[in-house]
Amino acid sequence: MKLEKIVDEILNNYLKNGSDKRTLIEIRSKIINMLIQSKDKTPSEIIIPALNSIKEATIDFLTSKNLKGIDILSGISSSIYISDTNEYNIYINSGLVDPTESYEIDENTLFDVDSITKLYTLILKDKLIKMRYFSDDTDISSMLGFGEFKNLTIEDLSCMSGEVRTNGKIEEAKTYEEALEILKTSYLFNSGKSNNTDIFSILIAIAITNIYNKVNSTNLKYENILENLILKPYNLNDTCYNPTLDRITTGCGNIANMAFDPKARILNGVTGSSGIFTSSKDLAKLSKYMFNSSLVGRENLEKYSKIIFPNSENSNKGYFGLDVKNNEYNKSFASRNYSNSVFAIEGYTGSLAIFDPLNKFHNGILVNAVRPDLEKELQNNSLKSEYIIDSKANGYKESLHTYNDVLTKNTLIIDAIKKYLDLYDKDNNTVNTKIKIR
């Protein structure tokens, strides 16, 4: 009875923080049964049923997208990070970096995470504001030195206020120099909300570079500033633009060590919107430093889960298009199972990163989902749409939602068990678990 009472107190705290009541009812008996059977088991052994559930869901996720003998998804690296007085790091890896190669995916494998890059841009922007390089109210025109923006501020760009257009498409440029000239034609088309987060984050990256170099009398590139202020100080050793050819990479559509996004490629692999390669291990590290406030500060974490335009079609979107809480299952990847502080960001290449600063949870789902090679191979196949849509497996997003739901529910189960064990000091040290699915 005492056990059930303590579990209910833990679940009630999740409920107060914003977790979905139906989820908490669903997982209650699982938590209690796992704890009843915990005698003489280590924490890693107690959570095995939850890990097995994730393992099964991972297999289902991969096989559901591999149709009629065609391996559309060849591998995945998922993770759970729980931060508190001690840490739980759990990595779930399966498959190969490429269907034609023998390199197995693990938590150190580099993935092209595409739009997850925007989170790093947002973090760097806010860090420089804390360092007093500029403010959210600074006019973007003064930072860029080009374009027609009618008093648009850096905060406006971060919030996607106003639709910015260019004369020509960056991705259709033939050279880097031509792409820059197109960027310089940027102008404010209207003052409504725009979904074009790429151009906003690209412009902010350029603005950051200009101001940083002006203040410090330097001539650093954007990627060097990010490395000096974020990646190196926080030991994000795997995270980079343009990984060297000796690094094993995936998730970029079989384009060796180059970003999948055509805008990033024409801009030499580096933009504020895409181009970052990172690993499950580094995403877990990133969340650790975000949660302890040393990286961006508590006030910024609160901003990241804020709905920017509550009455718009994309009311589940926050800064730079971050997904924020929405209890309609398929409207947001910021899981309803987590607190009201949760935010998430998805990359076009199929990867997903979820952060819950209040509960101190992080989940990463890194997948090599884009297959332009297979799309080209099936170009003249009348059944092509059964396999591939927008370079990814047909129905990919729906399957990702399903997998995300299983991963986040089991993260709650594992954390509830951790909290119970913490109360009784049951040898509850840091847990590091790796699951390899072959």
Side-chain angles (χ1 to χ4, degrees), residues 208-310:
I208 283 172
T209 305
N210 289 347
I211 294 297
Y212 184 90
N213 284 326
K214 181 178 180 181
V215 170
N216 294 292
S217 299
T218 53
N219 191 30
L220 294 179
K221 296 179 179 179
Y222 175 75
E223 61 266 38
N224 302 132
I225 299 169
L226 180 71
E227 184 178 19
N228 292 342
L229 295 182
I230 304 294
L231 305 184
K232 281 185 178 178
Y234 295 98
N235 300 312
L236 302 176
N237 302 316
D238 287 336
T239 308
C240 62
Y241 286 99
N242 294 323
T244 55
L245 290 176
D246 61 317
R247 295 302 306 270
I248 303 300
T249 66
T250 189
C252 49
N254 303 322
I255 305 167
N257 293 29
M258 293 176 61
F260 176 77
D261 179 65
K263 292 186 291 299
R265 289 204 305 275
I266 197 63
L267 291 167
N268 291 342
V270 180
T271 73
S273 63
S274 59
I276 286 278
F277 285 74
T278 193
S279 65
S280 288
K281 182 177 276 187
D282 260 19
L283 274 175
K285 281 188 198 175
L286 178 70
S287 66
K288 174 181 179 177
Y289 294 117
M290 288 173 69
F291 295 162
N292 70 19
S293 297
S294 68
L295 183 54
V296 294
R298 183 62 52 194
E299 70 283 1
N300 284 321
L301 283 179
E302 291 175 0
K303 282 192 347 183
Y304 296 171
S305 60
K306 176 184 175 184
I307 296 173
I308 302 300
F309 291 93

Side-chain angles (χ1 to χ4, degrees), residues 131-196:
M131 296 171 71
R132 301 184 184 278
Y133 276 81
F134 49 85
S135 73
D136 273 327
D137 294 329
T138 303
D139 191 301
I140 196 67
S141 296
S142 66
M143 298 176 73
L144 287 171
F146 64 78
E148 298 178 14
F149 299 107
K150 299 179 183 177
N151 300 318
L152 210 64
T153 67
I154 197 163
E155 175 77 351
D156 292 330
L157 287 186
S158 300
C159 295
M160 304 173 292
S161 298
E163 183 178 354
V164 173
R165 292 189 178 182
T166 56
N167 294 328
K169 294 183 178 181
I170 300 166
E171 60 269 30
E172 293 179 359
K174 298 294 188 295
T175 64
Y176 172 74
E177 290 74 20
E178 184 183 338
L180 284 182
E181 288 304 312
I182 292 173
L183 269 171
K184 290 178 181 179
T185 68
S186 300
Y187 64 98
L188 183 65
F189 178 72
N190 64 48
S191 57
K193 182 183 184 305
S194 171
N195 292 323
N196 187 5

Side-chain angles (χ1 to χ4, degrees), residues 343-388:
F343 59 90
I345 185 162
E346 178 198 10
Y348 183 86
T349 48
S351 291
L352 175 65
I354 306 151
F355 305 88
D356 184 343
L358 188 57
N359 285 321
K360 296 187 176 180
F361 299 158
H362 160 69
N363 298 118
I365 305 172
L366 305 185
V367 185
N368 50 0
V370 289
R371 293 293 305 276
D373 59 323
L374 189 55
E375 192 170 33
K376 185 177 181 180
E377 183 182 323
L378 296 170
Q379 192 67 45
N380 299 319
N381 190 323
S382 61
L383 299 177
K384 175 190 168 187
S385 62
E386 288 190 21
Y387 297 93
I388 301 282

